[in-house]
Amino acid sequence: MKVEGLTGEHYDGLVNYRVDPHGERVVILPTTCRVGRHSLVVAGYRAVADSAGIAVECQACRAEGVSRAAWHFGTAGPVAARAELDDQPYLDSRARAAAVRPSWG
């Protein structure tokens, strides 16, 4: 298995996957922004997969100029054709992200 995106100071772990009833691979992305302030369903998000992994950026955080607001996950295995949002697999990652949250003044 090839693992991508495992370097850098801003790394939130490996992205999670599941297999649907038809045998298709589905990537699971967090529902909440990295800083814990916005629902990505409401605020909007941009997910980009490349050779470095997957970045999931909250559009509200981006508009507010929040630094380090995007999740950055490594990937393993083939690219998934679909994505779903679910915070459950990322509860540990959220705790780590909270430890490096920016100060809000």
Side-chain angles (χ1 to χ4, degrees), residues 26-80:
V26 179
V27 65
I28 309 298
L29 303 175
T31 303
T32 305
C33 72
R34 190 168 189 277
V35 295
R37 296 179 62 206
H38 308 107
S39 164
L40 298 180
V41 175
V42 175
Y45 66 97
R46 180 174 176 244
V48 177
D50 61 21
S51 63
I54 298 175
V56 182
E57 180 181 46
C58 173
Q59 296 302 293
C61 287
R62 182 177 183 198
E64 294 169 2
V66 175
S67 64
R68 297 178 53 106
W71 291 103
H72 291 275
F73 298 107
T75 58
V79 175

